[in-house]
Amino acid sequence: MKLSGPFKQIVTLNQLPLKGKLSDEQLEIIIDGGILTDNGIVIEVDNFEVLKQKYPDSEIDLIENEQIALPAFVDAHTHICFGGNRANDFAMRNAGKTYLEIAESGGGIWSSVQHTRKASEENLIDGILERINILLNQGITTIEIKSGYGLNVDEELKMLRAIKKAQTKTKATLIPTCLSAHLKPRDFEGSSEDYLNYILNEILPKVKEENLANRVDIFIEKSAFQPEESKNLLLKAKELGFQITVHADQFTAGSSRIAVEVGAKSADHLEATIDEDIEFLANSETVAIALPGASLGLGEPFSPARKILDKGGILAIATDWNPGSAPMGNLVTQASILATYQKLTTAEVLAAITFRAAYALDLEDRGILAKGKKADFITYETDNFQNILYNQGSLKPSKVYINGEQIL
């Protein structure tokens, strides 16, 4: 067994509800604390000296200087498997070009598709690992990664195989998601419904056969797939044994309601969600994932995080790191900005990037420092946990632990 400490503060996030608003007074904060771990699992969290006396034979991981500890972060929505660069898209958008104008000039998602198709599997693995290391240095140890820039059998499988192979080269937990239904590719002959049937009949069976992903996502939007055909794909994907999630309400309302109706684990984006659908979403077990990076990248409104929490919903916050609309990839910066505009408490933000985000990925073994949980935690060289959000991402973790072992 290993005892890490003493920490000036340990913010455990233990015994917080999964749903609804949170006050900072609900946070369990252990002063001069220690974290006892064994075989990758948290055994006990308590005062450091109490644990030292209780477990005299434990190995001591002595923490010098004033540091605080909390559960490692979870990024529940990324697109970090891609080729190419879309800096020109960003410049054109800021110069006043519309989405359609950018797409017609060779930009947009189709640009990333072309670059990703040209990239070798090895190139994609290298890019994934480079971005994972950036996220690890932010204290993010569990990372969802989507396909969706291949859009045919061979290229989607290439992306998902790259993600699977990247998992063998990192200690972070990678959660692959098949987003073949990102948009209908320009080189596909047939309707969008035909393409969704192609996904069901040609892509998903191979994904399942090679155990490349257990999750399926779809972008429901006027520029992508329509509500009824999307609902059909999601229900059939569930029949095939996949968990489902939805890119919902990014520009137009209505698809978050579909996410709830089909039992999706999460509805992500939600910038255009209307009040009646917020209530419908909040009364379900579907996690609302806010993606403030996309709002910043596109100049769109933020997800109505405050309303979702006030109605009793489950809120997570993720980066949406992708080469087009959300290139920042800095979770704490985005979460801090969202908190400022939506008036989220520190407890609500920390919950949204730890155990509530983990729940969106069907992981209930992490995001909390308590007995029996996965021993992924991070430390900051500061005497006050509030400084994490106060510094809006400029204060970086000093140590990152995965399964109780320091990796950074």
Side-chain angles (χ1 to χ4, degrees), residues 79-83 116 124 128 131 145-146 149 159 162-163:
H79 302 253
I80 62 170
C81 179
F82 63 83
T116 303
L124 294 179
I128 293 168
R131 296 170 197 118
I145 309 177
K146 301 181 190 294
Y149 295 129
M159 291 186 72
I163 297 166

Side-chain angles (χ1 to χ4, degrees), residues 1-36:
M1 291 188 290
K2 180 184 290 185
L3 175 59
S4 299
F7 296 103
K8 182 76 173 177
Q9 299 172 324
I10 300 176
V11 184
T12 68
L13 299 181
N14 193 24
Q15 298 182 342
L16 293 176
L18 179 64
K19 303 189 72 172
K21 58 187 178 181
L22 299 169
S23 70
D24 291 350
E25 289 71 28
Q26 291 175 267
L27 290 171
E28 178 184 62
I29 301 171
I30 297 176
I31 306 300
D32 298 325
I35 304 169
L36 186 74

Side-chain angles (χ1 to χ4, degrees), residues 314-358:
I314 313 170
L315 177 77
I317 303 171
T319 65
D320 192 23
W321 190 356
N322 72 72
S325 61
M328 180 196 294
N330 193 317
L331 181 60
V332 172
T333 296
Q334 294 179 29
S336 301
I337 292 169
L338 183 69
T340 299
Y341 281 89
Q342 291 283 307
K343 303 306 175 194
L344 307 180
T345 67
T346 299
E348 288 167 342
V349 173
L350 293 179
I353 58 177
T354 55
F355 70 94
R356 288 177 170 179

Side-chain angles (χ1 to χ4, degrees), residues 291-308:
L291 304 173
S295 298
L296 293 167
L298 295 173
E300 294 288 334
F302 289 109
S303 310
R306 179 75 269 151
K307 288 183 177 181
I308 290 165

Side-chain angles (χ1 to χ4, degrees), residues 182-255:
H182 203 175
L183 82 170
K184 183 175 80 73
R186 293 182 182 180
D187 56 1
F188 182 84
E189 294 183 4
S191 66
S192 59
E193 186 175 356
D194 292 335
Y195 177 64
L196 294 180
N197 285 329
Y198 169 78
I199 292 172
L200 286 166
N201 297 326
E202 302 294 334
I203 298 179
L204 294 187
K206 292 181 174 64
V207 171
K208 182 66 76 174
E209 182 183 333
E210 294 189 36
N211 193 27
L212 295 175
N214 292 318
R215 291 162 44 89
V216 166
D217 194 354
I218 188 169
F219 185 19
I220 306 178
E221 191 53 67
K222 289 179 179 178
S223 61
F225 299 102
Q226 304 313 303
E228 282 308 310
E229 62 187 9
S230 299
K231 190 172 184 178
N232 179 61
L233 174 107
L234 291 166
L235 290 172
K236 288 185 176 177
K238 278 186 77 173
E239 290 174 7
L240 291 172
F242 291 95
Q243 292 177 2
I244 53 175
T245 182
V246 178
H247 277 61
D249 295 359
Q250 184 173 10
F251 302 111
T252 52
S255 47

